[in-house]
Amino acid sequence: MPANDTDVIIAGAGPVGLMLAAELRLGGVRVVVLERSTDPTDQTRALGFTSRTIEVFNQRGLLPRFGGFGTIPIGHFGGLTLDYREVPGGSYGAAGVPQSLTSSILDEWGTELGADIRRGWTVTGFDADVDGVSVAVDSPDGPRRLRAAYLVGCDGGRSTVRKLAGIDFPGQDAVMELAFAEVDGIRVKPRPNGERVPGGLVLAFQQGADRFRVTYYERGVVPRPGTEAPSYPEVAAAWLRLTGEDISAGSPSWIGRFTDASRQAAEYRRGRVLLAGDAAHIHLPIGGQGMSTGLQDAVNLGWKLAAEIHGHAPDGLLDTYHSERHPVGARVIRNTLAQRILYVGGPEVAPIRDLVTELTAYADVRRHLINTVTGLTIRYDVGPGEHPLLGCRLPGLDLAAADGPTSTLRLLHRARGVVLVLDDGSGWAEAAAPWAERVDTVPARPADPDGAAAFAGAAALLVRPDGYVAWVGPPGTSPQHLADALLRWFGKPAVG
């Protein structure tokens, strides 16, 4: 068997690939990231990320690196205005954080952790066997081959890895396109949630005193083939037709377009090849869900893949990446297609829009729509139990621990499992001790009534490295039940 050059090869150094590289390094795994572009992108692309992704970054202690940002309290679902603060921890996401900044922060973090990021390296082929993957690459110094235990495609909607692996990508082709431009030297009416106009839809985000990002959909325009962007005169002419605002004197720094093509990989894992981010799912970008879903793919996959490589993953753990994340991706595609109908549909969908507007008078409907976009209510099947936290994310709550104040999110900075002991019962620490090399045991109490309410009925919790609650022990539970849960999620103990 040939020796491996590394443990994992990641194709693609966008936010998802970089996040996965850092997660793997936190798990003690060697990783090489191959990126065809020679320089990091300076294009903004996504302008923020969802409430759940803010929590994910907070779990890893990354928020200070962003230098502070606001959140968007008022958002929409398909153009229907909603106050996202109606749900605990809710917002329409981070305000005005360009994807280029997110990528830069993740690149720096991954490099600090020891990820090997190689730009100007293009994956051209691979051969997988029972022991690993041999990857053919065009490098700046000519053709090369690298071998790893696993290959992960984070290389976008046109993923080379997905195509080479022969993984189906079913869905629907584009029926509409939206164009956008970031323009200096103009002032237009801000339209952050979009505005329907007789000819289509327009959005405008102010990014500076005289800098705007304008986006538009013009009804009747057939999606053009390929990836070529429109010219700025085309953008300015369409904007004038739709809004009556003349932006032709502006200076564009970036022009692009996107469509409503919606597809999802049939398999997120085929043997030693896995997919994450746009390589696994594409859809109309609404609400910052695309990049956020991919980042959460990476956090779900990283600790599982690291456990597999270290040899202590329980049977089937790596397969839960597909079983947990594929339904999440499918739900995002469904909600963005539904939003497309509400958002850009013409007079023919007015009855549907009116009906959904009526339904938003009900608080449960509003909260359901908000949670659909935020990702705050994702719930995985982690086994039997009735507690409301089981299978859900551990919410961000303040804690009082023996060594001082902390928080649930701070406990996850090292991307390790956590046994959170909430009562004075004995036996929890002893039950968890054999897994101490991969799971932390933390006795703590909720610091405020919100925490007390969230943890009501729980004496101890087992939290996975991705921040999801894998087990809840009610008062009186035998510590052996905790040991069983640790065995299920973290494999055989290192000692004992």
Side-chain angles (χ1 to χ4, degrees), residues 430-438 491-496:
E430 291 80 2
W435 286 270
E437 69 167 14
R438 53 196 101 130
K492 293 180 180 179
V495 295

Side-chain angles (χ1 to χ4, degrees), residues 4-319:
N4 288 343
D5 298 289
T6 189
D7 294 319
V8 179
I9 294 172
I10 297 173
V16 176
L18 294 169
M19 187 79 189
L20 178 59
E23 292 288 305
L24 290 169
R25 289 301 302 142
L26 286 170
V29 166
R30 297 175 301 157
V31 58
V32 172
V33 183
L34 306 178
E35 169 56 48
R36 69 172 61 236
S37 300
T38 55
D39 298 305
T41 180
D42 60 356
Q43 298 173 345
T44 59
R45 296 187 183 274
L47 285 173
F49 33 80
T50 63
S51 300
R52 175 57 188 154
T53 303
I54 293 173
E55 286 185 345
V56 167
F57 286 151
N58 208 354
Q59 286 176 184
R60 299 300 185 250
L62 290 175
L63 288 190
R65 297 185 184 228
F66 286 88
F69 56 80
T71 56
I72 305 169
I74 307 299
H76 69 92
F77 185 91
L80 304 177
T81 301
L82 295 169
D83 186 341
Y84 273 61
R85 296 168 297 185
E86 192 167 343
V87 304
S91 73
Y92 198 57
V97 180
Q99 182 172 322
S100 55
L101 175 60
T102 302
S103 293
S104 175
I105 289 168
L106 295 175
D107 190 314
E108 179 182 62
W109 183 46
T111 300
E112 290 171 6
L113 292 171
D116 182 354
I117 302 169
R118 306 182 187 183
R119 298 188 181 277
W121 292 59
T122 303
V123 173
T124 59
F126 68 81
D127 297 305
D129 55 49
V130 294
D131 298 311
V133 185
S134 181
V135 181
V137 183
D138 280 343
S139 79
D141 298 320
R144 294 277 302 276
R145 290 194 80 84
L146 298 174
R147 185 169 174 83
Y150 288 90
L151 169 65
V152 186
C154 299
D155 49 345
R158 300 173 183 270
S159 171
T160 297
V161 171
R162 186 189 65 240
K163 293 173 183 176
L164 290 171
I167 296 174
D168 290 341
F169 201 42
Q172 68 169 48
D173 293 330
V175 299
M176 56 167 284
E177 75 171 31
L178 291 86
F180 60 89
E182 293 189 355
V183 190
D184 289 307
I186 65 168
R187 292 189 64 81
V188 298
K189 173 186 173 183
R191 302 170 176 91
N193 287 334
E195 178 182 322
R196 283 186 295 276
V197 294
L201 176 79
V202 291
L203 300 91
F205 300 91
Q206 188 166 6
Q207 297 179 285
D210 295 301
R211 181 181 179 85
F212 279 78
R213 178 168 177 166
V214 297
T215 304
Y216 65 87
Y217 159 66
E218 189 165 19
R219 196 167 291 119
V221 172
V222 177
R224 68 192 78 194
T227 60
E228 183 181 355
S231 67
Y232 187 62
E234 288 180 273
V235 171
W239 193 261
L240 181 63
R241 287 193 298 272
L242 292 168
T243 69
E245 297 171 342
D246 186 359
I247 61 173
S248 59
S251 300
S253 58
W254 184 37
I255 302 171
R257 67 184 182 91
F258 52 88
T259 74
D260 64 337
S262 300
R263 296 184 175 277
Q264 185 176 27
E267 305 162 77
Y268 281 19
R269 178 194 180 194
R270 177 173 288 185
R272 291 185 173 269
V273 179
L274 301 105
L275 304 174
D278 287 354
H281 41 76
I282 60 170
H283 52 83
L284 186 66
I286 298 181
Q289 294 182 81
M291 183 178 74
S292 290
T293 302
L295 291 167
Q296 292 167 51
D297 289 344
V299 175
N300 183 285
L301 174 60
W303 68 279
K304 297 174 181 177
L305 190 51
E308 190 74 24
I309 289 167
H310 287 309
H312 56 67
D315 290 343
L317 179 67
L318 192 53
D319 288 330

Side-chain angles (χ1 to χ4, degrees), residues 17 72 174 191 257 321 328 418 471:
I72 305 169
R191 302 170 176 91
R257 67 184 182 91
Y321 171 60
V328 172
V418 176
W471 173 86

Side-chain angles (χ1 to χ4, degrees), residues 400-463:
D403 56 355
T406 185
S407 72
T408 54
L409 299 177
R410 193 172 299 134
L411 298 181
L412 293 162
H413 281 191
R414 296 197 297 162
R416 289 164 53 88
V418 176
V419 174
L420 182 57
V421 178
L422 298 162
D423 70 356
D424 295 318
S426 62
W428 301 120
E430 291 80 2
W435 286 270
E437 69 167 14
R438 53 196 101 130
V439 178
D440 297 321
T441 300
V442 181
R445 298 288 189 276
D448 53 49
D450 288 342
F455 294 139
L461 307 175
L462 174 61
V463 186

